[in-house]
Amino acid sequence: MDYGVVGKVTNLTYRLCEEASGGQILRNGNTLSKIEDFVHVESEAQLQLKGFKHPVSAFVGTKA
């Protein structure tokens, strides 16, 4: 069987991956709130992503 994933979260993940530089992981605020004890945030950017009406806050971080 083949499986696929669709929806807003999948689209957001794909768009953040497109914006990331080599070796960089971008996270949105919702994801960051779940892992903030394990990462150090270096910067924040407001990204206008295709398929999203409003800018998305993206955070760049490293392991804590």
Side-chain angles (χ1 to χ4, degrees), residues 22-62:
Q24 188 179 53
I25 299 173
L26 296 178
R27 302 153 178 95
N28 70 342
N30 190 29
T31 301
L32 182 62
S33 70
K34 308 272 191 260
I35 61 171
E36 62 190 347
D37 293 338
F38 306 104
V39 297
H40 171 72
V41 175
E42 295 174 353
S43 63
E44 175 184 358
Q46 294 292 317
L47 302 175
Q48 187 61 52
L49 302 175
K50 181 179 176 182
F52 292 85
K53 292 180 183 178
H54 304 287
V56 174
S57 294
F59 300 87
V60 179
T62 58

